Amino acid sequence: KPNMTENGFGHRERVLNVDTINPNVKRVEYAVRGPIVQRAMQIEKELKEGVKKPFTEVIKANIGDAHAMGQKPITFFRQVIALCVYPDLLEDDKFPEDAKNRARRILQACGGGSLGAYSASPGIEVIRQDVAKYIEKRDGGIPSNPDNIYLSTGASDAIVTMLKLLTSGEGKTRTGVMISIPQYPLYSAALAELAAVQVSYYLDEDKCWSLDVNELRRAVKAAREHCNPRALCIINPGNPTGQVQSRQCIEDVIRFAAEEHLFLMADEVYQDNVYTEGCQFHSFKKVLFEMGSEYSSVVELASFHSTSKCYMGECGFRGGYMEVINMDPEVKLQLTKLVSVRLCPSIPGQAMLDLVVNPPQPDEPSYATFIKERTANLHILSEKAKMTEQVLNTVPGIHCNPVQGAMYTFPRLTLPEKAINAAKEKEQAPDMFYCMKLLEETGICLVPGSGFGQRDGTYHFRMTILPGTEKLKIVLEKIGEFHKLFTEEFS
């Protein structure tokens, strides 16, 4: 007879436990906020409680969170958002006239003139029109239709929505999605959650993490044995690898997608972050249309952008958009249905996106300050990109490719055999072992390369270049010292 409690029910297991949970959820891993970051947060608590450590603060270089690392918000953006959130400020003479006009324009497009109202599910019409104009200007006049634009809660949300539409089949007919290795773990996590098949293609570290179409061919051919590859994801500029794709490479990728009948997903959230001389951002859409109608009328493309990176760094607002090209009209109806279930993206996020795609114009009072702040933010990032590469390359046993764009470096580590064995004993990836030790001894929080994927037998870490210049110098020096001691300890 079961042990009866007061309400007459025996001790019974929970409805939801680790055996009855959706098994796909258990397969999800997200290194950028994984075990190493949990430990970093514990250490921060310990420091607050007065526990003595060989350092005074934890420096989080694990996530591309610009403002958390001290990047300054753009004044105009924050002024307009403040006016939108609290319209009584429109009476205040502290705010420039162009900021007020912009706020009025956004508020007029909102239900009841309030940021607190829902919008249409694909996003506010006026903002989608502004996004289309921005894309047209960016791509040198190639037309963009607001009906192809869906606003989203950061780019992540749109990427996951697109993957949902693409996923189908069972067993060998299951959808395969090609993602770069190293990749940003949103992709592997979303594919695990959707039970789609991850098809890995490797970037070439020896050629500055460039993409070789022969490697795409190898990957798709191998994948066809066990799944149905239907989509190809590209991150340009690259995360975690910081490379900027050449125009030639983008053309090759588009031809490959056309030949292999693949849906292209272009994650272009770092499009303003390009630092290296001779490198330039080319959007997939622009290159597609410049290749002529034999490609531009058939290749299906979704491209993504966000307010979270570049010179803005407004991650917390969760603003983003996706533009879809050559999508089947019936599928588009399904996409609209899918986004409508979530009602709409964050309205402050939509407003922030509007300012990013439609910043102050040369004849407006806020223009000079805006350009000054934008240029300064990008210039500082560019300096830090160069410094990161230079300093890390002075350390024997660390090899760092040029940081051509984005906000990260992904240096290769040479680890002693003893350290690799010590990690295996702890059942840890060797670079996880390294990063944990680095965190415990220096307070620096990095993400091991194993969280992003890497060629077998190679070890890396991903580090953001976002800490303030002086702090970054210290971080790089500390990593150098640590690496030397680590190598001595395990040699």
Side-chain angles (χ1 to χ4, degrees), residues 5-150:
T5 52
E6 275 169 48
N7 58 7
F9 290 113
H11 285 299
R12 50 184 198 166
E13 50 179 53
R14 291 191 166 96
V15 172
L16 190 61
N17 62 37
V18 85
D19 297 321
T20 62
I21 191 177
N22 176 345
N24 294 332
V25 171
K26 285 195 278 191
R27 284 199 280 274
V28 171
E29 286 179 16
Y30 187 65
V32 175
R33 295 194 172 192
I36 208 135
V37 185
Q38 258 101 55
R39 178 64 191 132
M41 286 159 81
Q42 265 175 338
I43 291 174
E44 276 188 318
K45 275 208 182 101
E46 289 170 17
L47 284 170
K48 273 203 186 102
E49 289 157 7
V51 180
K52 285 277 167 276
K53 302 269 179 195
F55 48 86
T56 53
E57 63 165 341
V58 171
I59 299 174
K60 292 201 188 89
N62 62 299
I63 195 162
D65 190 349
H67 290 192
M69 299 308 287
Q71 185 174 307
K72 292 281 171 274
I74 299 292
T75 306
F76 179 77
F77 292 1
R78 289 302 183 88
Q79 284 174 332
V80 178
I81 297 289
L83 290 161
C84 287
V85 171
Y86 191 62
D88 289 12
L89 293 174
L90 288 162
E91 310 307 315
D92 193 317
D93 51 13
K94 281 199 211 49
F95 291 84
E97 212 42 52
D98 54 345
K100 289 182 178 180
N101 290 338
R102 197 61 65 82
R104 286 188 193 103
R105 182 171 179 267
I106 292 169
L107 287 170
Q108 274 161 7
C110 293
S114 168
L115 246 48
Y118 289 129
S119 74
S121 298
I124 294 170
E125 183 72 32
V126 169
I127 299 177
R128 287 160 62 214
Q129 288 165 358
D130 287 351
V131 170
K133 283 187 203 119
Y134 162 84
I135 293 171
E136 268 176 35
K137 190 176 169 194
R138 179 197 70 188
D139 292 344
I142 292 160
S144 173
N145 181 349
D147 288 343
N148 289 334
I149 288 164
Y150 290 79

Side-chain angles (χ1 to χ4, degrees), residues 14 26 44 53 97 111 117-118 120 139 146 164 167 182 190 204 212 233 260 269 316 329 358 395 416 428:
R14 291 191 166 96
K26 285 195 278 191
E44 276 188 318
K53 302 269 179 195
E97 212 42 52
Y118 289 129
D139 292 344
K164 274 184 192 163
T167 303
D204 187 345
D212 180 355
C233 301
E260 298 292 342
V269 301
N358 184 16
V395 183
Q428 275 182 346

Side-chain angles (χ1 to χ4, degrees), residues 5 83 127 184 249 294 298 336 356 372-373 388 392 416 425:
T5 52
L83 290 161
I127 299 177
Y184 174 55
C249 173
E294 114 180 66
V298 295
T336 305
V356 170
K372 195 174 130 199
E373 291 174 344
T388 300
L392 287 176
E425 274 168 36

Side-chain angles (χ1 to χ4, degrees), residues 9 64 106 140 144 150 204 262 312 367 374 381 464 478:
F9 290 113
I106 292 169
S144 173
Y150 290 79
D204 187 345
L262 296 170
M312 309 79 77
Y367 181 74
R374 179 185 192 276
L381 284 167
T464 77
K478 275 186 163 186

